[in-house]
Amino acid sequence: ILPPTLEVVGSGAFFRCLSLKTVVLPPSVKDIGNEAFYYCSDLEDIHVIQGNPNFRNVGKAVVDKSDVIVAYPGKGDEKLVIPEGIKGIKDNAFGGCGSLREVFIPSSVGHVGLMAFISCINLQRVHWNASAPTVPGSCFHGCSSLEEVFLSQKVSDIQYMAFYGTSLRSVTVLNKDPFPFVTSNNSATFEESAFANA
């Protein structure tokens, strides 16, 4: 239980705290850094005390006042349906989440940060319905169980090492004609090593 005067949870603050079960964030917290709860494999709850003007819980996720997911516990849901209305996912928000097996990203999500789902080793299926046009660098890096990805027709760029080290068997682009990555004007791209070691 963090003290009532705490304003910042710094980057990597609880990195690899493997036995940590619950964190309680007081109303005073104004900022949560990247990777703050990365690889906390037994973390079941990041609880934001009611009255915090900057953060709130949406399901098990910690969401900021701009409707961006900033953190998610390592022992969250197996099947996660991110609700419509969420506008973004911060860098490394789901990093090291060992419970995730399937995730649905809604059309309201306009931005997904770097390494957003890095090392989610049990993640098997991703439904990227997001309006975000870019699958960012190392987004699913090290998701060694990932086999199926369904991408929105909005996707036009898959960045460096986005799917590095996965077990991909299929990538399906939904409702798109023609296929967006076969273009004569180079308006859509696979960056170098986007699917390396997959």
Side-chain angles (χ1 to χ4, degrees):
I1 299 175
L2 300 175
T5 55
L6 184 72
E7 295 188 354
V8 177
V9 179
S11 297
F14 294 95
F15 176 73
R16 287 187 67 86
C17 289
L18 301 179
S19 298
L20 185 63
K21 301 281 189 187
T22 304
V23 173
V24 179
L25 300 175
S28 56
V29 171
K30 297 178 180 178
D31 184 54
I32 299 173
N34 294 337
E35 303 182 0
F37 303 100
Y38 182 42
Y39 245 111
C40 294
S41 55
D42 270 0
L43 184 60
E44 298 174 353
D45 186 24
I46 308 170
H47 178 68
V48 181
I49 293 178
Q50 192 171 1
N52 186 309
N54 302 295
F55 299 102
R56 70 187 190 282
N57 287 115
V58 175
K60 290 183 176 290
V62 177
V63 176
D64 69 15
K65 59 187 176 183
S66 299
D67 296 319
V68 173
I69 295 175
V70 300
Y72 191 81
K75 207 169 185 178
D77 298 313
E78 287 189 8
K79 181 179 179 179
L80 175 64
V81 180
I82 297 172
E84 281 287 347
I86 295 297
K87 295 177 181 175
I89 299 172
K90 189 177 179 180
D91 293 0
N92 209 283
F94 291 89
C97 180
S99 62
L100 273 184
R101 296 183 182 274
E102 186 171 22
V103 63
F104 294 78
I105 305 172
S107 60
S108 59
V109 172
H111 173 76
V112 178
L114 296 169
M115 302 181 291
F117 294 90
I118 192 170
S119 299
C120 293
I121 59 172
N122 293 308
L123 182 61
Q124 298 170 1
R125 190 173 293 108
V126 172
H127 304 264
W128 183 290
N129 300 312
S131 59
T134 299
V135 180
S138 294
C139 188
F140 298 99
H141 185 141
C143 295
S144 53
S145 299
L146 183 59
E147 294 185 348
E148 287 185 286
V149 175
F150 300 89
L151 293 176
S152 160
Q153 60 182 330
K154 302 287 188 181
V155 173
S156 60
D157 184 24
I158 297 178
Q159 292 188 338
Y160 181 72
M161 299 181 86
F163 293 98
Y164 182 90
T166 63
S167 298
L168 275 180
R169 296 183 181 210
S170 69
V171 178
T172 304
V173 179
L174 303 173
N175 302 318
K176 185 68 177 184
D177 185 27
F179 183 64
F181 300 105
V182 182
T183 62
S184 58
N185 59 5
N186 295 319
S187 63
T189 60
F190 288 148
E191 290 193 9
E192 183 179 351
S193 301
F195 294 95
N197 201 33

